[in-house]
């Protein structure tokens, strides 16, 4: 009996010791876990918190940032105005826009456009194009404006945004000196030339003499200078041309042409942008007015025409 009691006591003592030992291990683990949590918490808390004051914008940095943004806004073109003005032209139309002996594109329109771009704080590029494709070049975005002694017509005003007139001109009939063509009626049976898709071509096509000219149709040329060369050697008998161009060309080249007294049409030159972009046309007109007040327009006119009032100012 005593032996049995001893065995029972030993078993109870062992169970009690195991329980105490388990609790001790749990407390140790819990303490370790608690200590680890406290260490992590301390580590996080050791990072300096962002106070409400720190969250406020730094006045100096904010001012600098706003000044930069303001500067960029002031320098950026307004809505409808591109960062670069790509001017489409027939680069063989002196004095409006043409390629000189140094292969530079120069002329009245080039000087005007450069001055306007400087005023609007935008870049400038002159891009020679096929004049007959000018509206397609504009509509596809390859050029920004057509600015090259372009005659204002109702058709063009319907198809594009066109500026107010800036130069007055006339459509005249040029013939070789000594020609037997003295009046418009004398064009009957003659080879009459004009530039493709030009106001001169449209004018002769609408004229009553048109069905009487040779072959009942005008001989079309891609540019005026080629047509003038053919007129000089007799490949055509007459050329419908802008008075601004022929007068300048004759003065510069001393070529033997006569201008008939009978004119076809009076005309005005304008600047065209894609239909709907009134903002750009308004900006160009505004810049031209400002340049006129500064005397820049008179300077350009005098440089190219020898007169300071050949370019219309508003």
């Amino acid at each position: 009996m005593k032996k049995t009691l001893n065995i029972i006591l030993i078993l109870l003592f062992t169970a009690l010791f195991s329980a105490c030992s388990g609790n001790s291990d749990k407390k140790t683990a819990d303490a370790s876990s608690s200590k680890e949590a406290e260490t992590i918490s301390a580590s996080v808390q050791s990072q300096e918190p962002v106070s409400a004051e720190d969250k406020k914008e730094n006045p100096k940095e904010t001012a600098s940032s706003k000044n930069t943004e303001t500067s960029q806004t002031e320098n950026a073109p307004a809505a409808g105005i591109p960062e670069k003005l790509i001017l489409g032209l027939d680069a063989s139309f002196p004095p409006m826009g043409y390629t000189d002996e140094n292969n530079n594109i120069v002329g009245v329109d080039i000087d005007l456009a450069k001055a306007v771009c400087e005023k609007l704080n935008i870049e400038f590029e002159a891009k020679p194009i096929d004049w007959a494709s000018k509206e397609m070049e504009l509509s596809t975005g390859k050029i920004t404006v057509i600015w090259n002694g372009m005659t204002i017509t109702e058709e063009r005003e319907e198809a594009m945004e066109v500026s107010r007139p800036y130069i007055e001109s006339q459509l005249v009939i040029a013939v070789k000196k000594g020609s037997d063509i003295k009046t418009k009626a004398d064009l009957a049976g003659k080879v009459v030339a004009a530039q493709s898709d030009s106001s001169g071509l449209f004018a002769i096509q609408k004229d009553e003499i048109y069905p009487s000219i040779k072959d009942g149709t005008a001989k079309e040329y891609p540019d005026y200078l080629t047509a003038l060369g053919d007129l000089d050697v007799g490949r055509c008998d007459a050329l419908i041309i802008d008075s601004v161009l022929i007068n300048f060309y004759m003065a510069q080249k001393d070529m033997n042409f006569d201008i008939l007294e009978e004119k076809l049409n009076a005309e005005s030159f304008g600047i065209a942008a894609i239909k709907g972009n009134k903002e750009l046309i308004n900006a160009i007109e505004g810049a031209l007015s400002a340049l006129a007040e500064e005397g820049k327009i008179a300077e350009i006119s005098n440089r190219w025409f020898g007169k300071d009032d050949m370019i219309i100012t508003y």
Side-chain angles (χ1 to χ4, degrees):
M1 182 71 180
K2 185 176 181 180
K3 184 177 181 180
T4 301
L5 182 61
N6 288 338
I7 291 172
I8 292 171
L9 288 175
I10 290 170
L11 291 173
L12 288 173
F13 181 80
T14 301
L16 181 62
F17 179 82
S18 296
C20 290
S21 176
N23 288 338
S24 176
D25 290 343
K26 182 178 180 182
K27 288 180 182 180
T28 302
D30 289 344
S32 176
S33 177
S34 175
K35 187 175 182 181
E36 182 178 359
E38 288 175 1
T39 302
I40 294 173
S41 175
S43 175
V44 172
Q45 290 177 6
S46 69
Q47 299 177 17
E48 188 174 341
V50 179
S51 67
E53 289 298 321
D54 289 333
K55 290 181 180 178
K56 292 182 179 179
E57 294 177 334
N58 184 310
K60 292 184 179 180
E61 290 180 358
T62 302
S64 174
S65 176
K66 288 181 178 180
N67 287 340
T68 301
E69 291 175 1
T70 301
S71 175
Q72 289 175 345
T73 302
E74 289 176 350
N75 292 332
I81 302 174
E83 293 183 358
K84 176 190 284 187
L85 187 81
I86 304 175
L87 182 152
L89 79 158
D90 161 22
S92 59
F93 188 13
M96 307 312 297
Y98 64 101
T99 305
D100 67 9
E101 62 275 9
N102 297 316
N103 207 36
N104 295 316
I105 298 176
V106 298
V108 179
D109 289 332
I110 303 304
D111 285 356
L112 287 173
K114 284 181 176 179
V116 164
C117 287
E118 185 175 349
K119 182 67 68 176
L120 297 179
N121 195 32
I122 60 178
E123 296 180 50
F124 169 79
E125 178 185 345
K127 184 175 182 178
I129 59 172
D130 176 4
W131 191 248
S133 302
K134 57 188 175 296
E135 290 187 31
M136 182 183 70
E137 297 279 342
L138 184 64
S139 64
T140 56
K142 292 180 180 179
I143 59 174
T144 314
V145 291
I146 302 168
W147 192 339
N148 184 219
M150 186 198 75
T151 301
I152 299 173
T153 65
E154 290 183 4
E155 294 81 5
R156 286 170 178 169
E157 287 182 310
E158 289 178 2
M160 303 176 283
E161 292 298 331
V162 180
S163 73
R164 64 198 182 202
Y166 68 98
I167 282 185
E168 298 292 347
S169 184
Q170 288 182 314
L171 284 173
V172 299
I173 303 168
V175 298
K176 192 169 182 178
K177 191 174 288 295
S179 170
D180 59 354
I181 301 174
K182 304 300 180 184
T183 68
K184 186 173 65 175
D186 295 333
L187 295 176
K190 304 295 185 181
V191 178
V192 179
Q195 184 181 31
S196 298
D197 200 47
S198 69
S199 57
L201 177 62
F202 303 150
I204 193 62
Q205 287 173 337
K206 294 176 181 178
D207 197 273
E208 60 184 6
I209 194 64
Y210 192 67
S212 303
I213 66 176
K214 186 175 177 60
D215 298 326
T217 187
K219 186 175 183 178
E220 296 185 32
Y221 286 86
D223 60 79
Y224 280 120
L225 297 188
T226 302
L228 283 167
D230 273 13
L231 180 62
D232 188 47
V233 298
R235 293 195 184 98
C236 57
D237 301 307
L239 174 63
I240 313 303
I241 191 169
D242 293 279
S243 60
V244 168
L245 189 159
I246 188 63
N247 290 334
F248 179 84
Y249 197 72
M250 287 173 64
Q252 297 295 315
K253 302 296 183 179
D254 193 28
M255 298 188 79
N256 296 318
F257 299 124
D258 283 332
I259 308 299
L260 302 191
E261 290 186 9
E262 195 173 2
K263 311 294 190 293
L264 285 180
N265 287 330
E267 58 181 9
S268 302
F269 293 165
I271 305 154
I274 194 168
K275 192 68 175 179
N277 195 350
K278 295 180 180 179
E279 293 85 356
L280 177 56
I281 293 298
N282 291 339
I284 290 173
E285 290 179 344
L288 288 171
S289 294
L291 291 166
E293 291 181 5
E294 297 168 7
K296 185 67 175 178
I297 301 299
E299 177 188 320
I300 293 172
S301 177
N302 195 61
R303 179 186 306 155
W304 290 101
F305 300 111
K307 300 178 181 179
D308 62 8
D309 59 354
M310 291 292 291
I311 302 173
I312 302 170
T313 56
Y314 295 83

mmCIF file of all heavy atoms in Angstrom, residues 6 13 21-22 33-34 37 46 84 96 119 132 162 169 186 200 208-209 211 214 219 239 252 300 311:
data_model
loop_
_atom_site.group_PDB
_atom_site.id
_atom_site.type_symbol
_atom_site.label_atom_id
_atom_site.label_comp_id
_atom_site.label_asym_id
_atom_site.label_seq_id
_atom_site.Cartn_x
_atom_site.Cartn_y
_atom_site.Cartn_z
ATOM 1 N N ASN A 6 3.300 5.900 -2.866
ATOM 2 C CA ASN A 6 4.504 6.608 -3.339
ATOM 3 C C ASN A 6 4.493 6.791 -4.845
ATOM 4 O O ASN A 6 4.894 7.846 -5.388
ATOM 5 C CB ASN A 6 5.764 5.805 -2.919
ATOM 6 C CG ASN A 6 6.024 5.899 -1.426
ATOM 7 O OD1 ASN A 6 5.559 6.826 -0.763
ATOM 8 N ND2 ASN A 6 6.765 4.921 -0.888
ATOM 9 N N PHE A 13 3.406 14.655 -8.721
ATOM 10 C CA PHE A 13 4.486 15.633 -8.686
ATOM 11 C C PHE A 13 5.025 15.905 -10.088
ATOM 12 O O PHE A 13 5.285 17.046 -10.473
ATOM 13 C CB PHE A 13 5.605 15.113 -7.769
ATOM 14 C CG PHE A 13 6.759 16.059 -7.644
ATOM 15 C CD1 PHE A 13 6.704 17.160 -6.797
ATOM 16 C CD2 PHE A 13 7.909 15.869 -8.425
ATOM 17 C CE1 PHE A 13 7.765 18.053 -6.705
ATOM 18 C CE2 PHE A 13 8.955 16.750 -8.303
ATOM 19 C CZ PHE A 13 8.902 17.852 -7.456
ATOM 20 N N SER A 21 6.270 23.895 -15.673
ATOM 21 C CA SER A 21 7.302 24.139 -16.690
ATOM 22 C C SER A 21 6.680 24.690 -17.945
ATOM 23 O O SER A 21 7.203 25.578 -18.583
ATOM 24 C CB SER A 21 8.030 22.821 -16.996
ATOM 25 O OG SER A 21 8.971 23.002 -18.026
ATOM 26 N N GLY A 22 5.470 24.167 -18.386
ATOM 27 C CA GLY A 22 4.775 24.665 -19.592
ATOM 28 C C GLY A 22 4.399 26.102 -19.447
ATOM 29 O O GLY A 22 4.551 26.903 -20.349
ATOM 30 N N SER A 33 8.085 37.485 -27.309
ATOM 31 C CA SER A 33 7.267 38.090 -28.370
ATOM 32 C C SER A 33 6.965 39.534 -28.061
ATOM 33 O O SER A 33 7.012 40.408 -28.917
ATOM 34 C CB SER A 33 5.969 37.280 -28.504
ATOM 35 O OG SER A 33 5.115 37.851 -29.446
ATOM 36 N N SER A 34 6.658 39.785 -26.795
ATOM 37 C CA SER A 34 6.358 41.150 -26.370
ATOM 38 C C SER A 34 7.561 42.042 -26.560
ATOM 39 O O SER A 34 7.467 43.172 -27.004
ATOM 40 C CB SER A 34 5.906 41.134 -24.912
ATOM 41 O OG SER A 34 5.720 42.449 -24.443
ATOM 42 N N ALA A 37 8.020 42.822 -30.199
ATOM 43 C CA ALA A 37 7.040 43.817 -30.632
ATOM 44 C C ALA A 37 7.460 45.198 -30.173
ATOM 45 O O ALA A 37 7.329 46.186 -30.897
ATOM 46 C CB ALA A 37 5.654 43.461 -30.083
ATOM 47 N N SER A 46 11.101 55.529 -33.688
ATOM 48 C CA SER A 46 12.353 56.288 -33.740
ATOM 49 C C SER A 46 12.435 57.160 -34.983
ATOM 50 O O SER A 46 13.221 58.090 -35.044
ATOM 51 C CB SER A 46 13.543 55.320 -33.702
ATOM 52 O OG SER A 46 13.605 54.573 -34.902
ATOM 53 N N LYS A 84 5.170 76.012 -83.380
ATOM 54 C CA LYS A 84 5.938 76.349 -84.580
ATOM 55 C C LYS A 84 4.976 76.665 -85.715
ATOM 56 O O LYS A 84 4.036 75.905 -85.957
ATOM 57 C CB LYS A 84 6.856 75.198 -84.996
ATOM 58 C CG LYS A 84 7.615 75.476 -86.299
ATOM 59 C CD LYS A 84 8.343 74.243 -86.828
ATOM 60 C CE LYS A 84 9.596 73.967 -86.041
ATOM 61 N NZ LYS A 84 10.410 72.865 -86.661
ATOM 62 N N MET A 96 7.255 87.718 -102.990
ATOM 63 C CA MET A 96 6.526 87.266 -101.807
ATOM 64 C C MET A 96 7.273 86.164 -101.064
ATOM 65 O O MET A 96 7.406 86.213 -99.841
ATOM 66 C CB MET A 96 5.118 86.800 -102.192
ATOM 67 C CG MET A 96 4.317 87.834 -103.003
ATOM 68 S SD MET A 96 4.366 89.507 -102.295
ATOM 69 C CE MET A 96 3.565 89.257 -100.727
ATOM 70 N N LYS A 119 6.879 88.000 -82.517
ATOM 71 C CA LYS A 119 5.900 88.691 -81.683
ATOM 72 C C LYS A 119 5.062 87.696 -80.872
ATOM 73 O O LYS A 119 4.734 87.952 -79.707
ATOM 74 C CB LYS A 119 4.998 89.552 -82.573
ATOM 75 C CG LYS A 119 3.937 90.372 -81.848
ATOM 76 C CD LYS A 119 4.555 91.465 -80.990
ATOM 77 C CE LYS A 119 5.208 92.552 -81.855
ATOM 78 N NZ LYS A 119 5.724 93.662 -81.014
ATOM 79 N N ALA A 132 -0.447 73.590 -106.228
ATOM 80 C CA ALA A 132 -1.726 72.968 -106.556
ATOM 81 C C ALA A 132 -2.235 72.075 -105.426
ATOM 82 O O ALA A 132 -3.425 71.760 -105.372
ATOM 83 C CB ALA A 132 -1.599 72.165 -107.846
ATOM 84 N N VAL A 162 -9.389 82.484 -93.632
ATOM 85 C CA VAL A 162 -8.561 83.420 -94.390
ATOM 86 C C VAL A 162 -8.522 84.779 -93.687
ATOM 87 O O VAL A 162 -9.547 85.270 -93.199
ATOM 88 C CB VAL A 162 -9.090 83.590 -95.831
ATOM 89 C CG1 VAL A 162 -8.221 84.555 -96.625
ATOM 90 C CG2 VAL A 162 -9.135 82.231 -96.537
ATOM 91 N N SER A 169 -3.238 93.635 -105.312
ATOM 92 C CA SER A 169 -2.536 93.347 -106.557
ATOM 93 C C SER A 169 -3.551 93.312 -107.697
ATOM 94 O O SER A 169 -4.750 93.587 -107.493
ATOM 95 C CB SER A 169 -1.798 92.009 -106.462
ATOM 96 O OG SER A 169 -1.035 91.751 -107.618
ATOM 97 N N ASP A 186 -7.099 89.771 -128.511
ATOM 98 C CA ASP A 186 -6.046 89.192 -129.355
ATOM 99 C C ASP A 186 -5.559 87.834 -128.846
ATOM 100 O O ASP A 186 -4.745 87.176 -129.507
ATOM 101 C CB ASP A 186 -4.858 90.151 -129.449
ATOM 102 C CG ASP A 186 -5.202 91.455 -130.166
ATOM 103 O OD1 ASP A 186 -6.119 91.425 -131.011
ATOM 104 O OD2 ASP A 186 -4.554 92.483 -129.866
ATOM 105 N N GLY A 200 -5.055 83.374 -111.245
ATOM 106 C CA GLY A 200 -4.933 83.736 -112.655
ATOM 107 C C GLY A 200 -5.613 82.707 -113.549
ATOM 108 O O GLY A 200 -6.293 83.059 -114.524
ATOM 109 N N GLU A 208 -14.735 85.649 -120.880
ATOM 110 C CA GLU A 208 -15.427 85.343 -122.145
ATOM 111 C C GLU A 208 -14.477 84.946 -123.265
ATOM 112 O O GLU A 208 -14.882 84.276 -124.227
ATOM 113 C CB GLU A 208 -16.253 86.560 -122.580
ATOM 114 C CG GLU A 208 -15.423 87.822 -122.799
ATOM 115 C CD GLU A 208 -16.270 89.040 -123.123
ATOM 116 O OE1 GLU A 208 -17.519 88.903 -123.065
ATOM 117 O OE2 GLU A 208 -15.703 90.098 -123.420
ATOM 118 N N ILE A 209 -13.214 85.323 -123.158
ATOM 119 C CA ILE A 209 -12.251 84.994 -124.205
ATOM 120 C C ILE A 209 -11.790 83.539 -124.131
ATOM 121 O O ILE A 209 -11.245 82.998 -125.107
ATOM 122 C CB ILE A 209 -11.025 85.954 -124.131
ATOM 123 C CG1 ILE A 209 -10.159 85.882 -125.404
ATOM 124 C CG2 ILE A 209 -10.177 85.624 -122.907
ATOM 125 C CD1 ILE A 209 -10.841 86.341 -126.657
ATOM 126 N N PRO A 211 -12.952 80.390 -124.287
ATOM 127 C CA PRO A 211 -13.209 79.356 -125.306
ATOM 128 C C PRO A 211 -12.475 79.604 -126.621
ATOM 129 O O PRO A 211 -12.319 78.666 -127.420
ATOM 130 C CB PRO A 211 -14.733 79.452 -125.510
ATOM 131 C CG PRO A 211 -15.254 80.079 -124.263
ATOM 132 C CD PRO A 211 -14.198 81.050 -123.856
ATOM 133 N N LYS A 214 -6.167 79.031 -127.840
ATOM 134 C CA LYS A 214 -5.735 77.796 -128.512
ATOM 135 C C LYS A 214 -6.113 76.568 -127.691
ATOM 136 O O LYS A 214 -5.852 76.511 -126.485
ATOM 137 C CB LYS A 214 -4.217 77.837 -128.749
ATOM 138 C CG LYS A 214 -3.709 76.654 -129.585
ATOM 139 C CD LYS A 214 -2.238 76.813 -129.889
ATOM 140 C CE LYS A 214 -1.694 75.616 -130.642
ATOM 141 N NZ LYS A 214 -2.371 75.382 -131.943
ATOM 142 N N LYS A 219 -2.628 76.661 -120.813
ATOM 143 C CA LYS A 219 -1.464 75.817 -120.573
ATOM 144 C C LYS A 219 -1.022 76.051 -119.130
ATOM 145 O O LYS A 219 -0.658 77.165 -118.759
ATOM 146 C CB LYS A 219 -0.338 76.171 -121.549
ATOM 147 C CG LYS A 219 0.869 75.242 -121.451
ATOM 148 C CD LYS A 219 1.909 75.575 -122.521
ATOM 149 C CE LYS A 219 3.093 74.605 -122.466
ATOM 150 N NZ LYS A 219 4.088 74.880 -123.529
ATOM 151 N N LEU A 239 0.800 85.153 -120.607
ATOM 152 C CA LEU A 239 0.789 84.574 -119.265
ATOM 153 C C LEU A 239 -0.073 85.434 -118.351
ATOM 154 O O LEU A 239 0.125 86.648 -118.268
ATOM 155 C CB LEU A 239 2.216 84.493 -118.706
ATOM 156 C CG LEU A 239 2.360 84.044 -117.248
ATOM 157 C CD1 LEU A 239 1.855 82.617 -117.055
ATOM 158 C CD2 LEU A 239 3.828 84.143 -116.809
ATOM 159 N N GLN A 252 14.066 93.211 -111.581
ATOM 160 C CA GLN A 252 15.256 92.495 -111.146
ATOM 161 C C GLN A 252 16.002 91.842 -112.311
ATOM 162 O O GLN A 252 17.227 91.849 -112.362
ATOM 163 C CB GLN A 252 14.866 91.414 -110.128
ATOM 164 C CG GLN A 252 14.261 91.949 -108.844
ATOM 165 C CD GLN A 252 15.236 92.767 -108.025
ATOM 166 O OE1 GLN A 252 16.384 92.389 -107.834
ATOM 167 N NE2 GLN A 252 14.776 93.908 -107.534
ATOM 168 N N ILE A 300 9.588 96.664 -93.839
ATOM 169 C CA ILE A 300 9.577 95.513 -94.748
ATOM 170 C C ILE A 300 9.086 95.932 -96.136
ATOM 171 O O ILE A 300 9.643 95.514 -97.164
ATOM 172 C CB ILE A 300 8.690 94.386 -94.177
ATOM 173 C CG1 ILE A 300 9.328 93.816 -92.896
ATOM 174 C CG2 ILE A 300 8.493 93.273 -95.202
ATOM 175 C CD1 ILE A 300 8.452 92.833 -92.145
ATOM 176 N N ILE A 311 2.201 97.500 -98.155
ATOM 177 C CA ILE A 311 1.561 96.485 -97.313
ATOM 178 C C ILE A 311 0.455 97.167 -96.521
ATOM 179 O O ILE A 311 0.691 98.174 -95.850
ATOM 180 C CB ILE A 311 2.567 95.810 -96.368
ATOM 181 C CG1 ILE A 311 3.702 95.162 -97.184
ATOM 182 C CG2 ILE A 311 1.886 94.771 -95.501
ATOM 183 C CD1 ILE A 311 4.835 94.623 -96.352
#
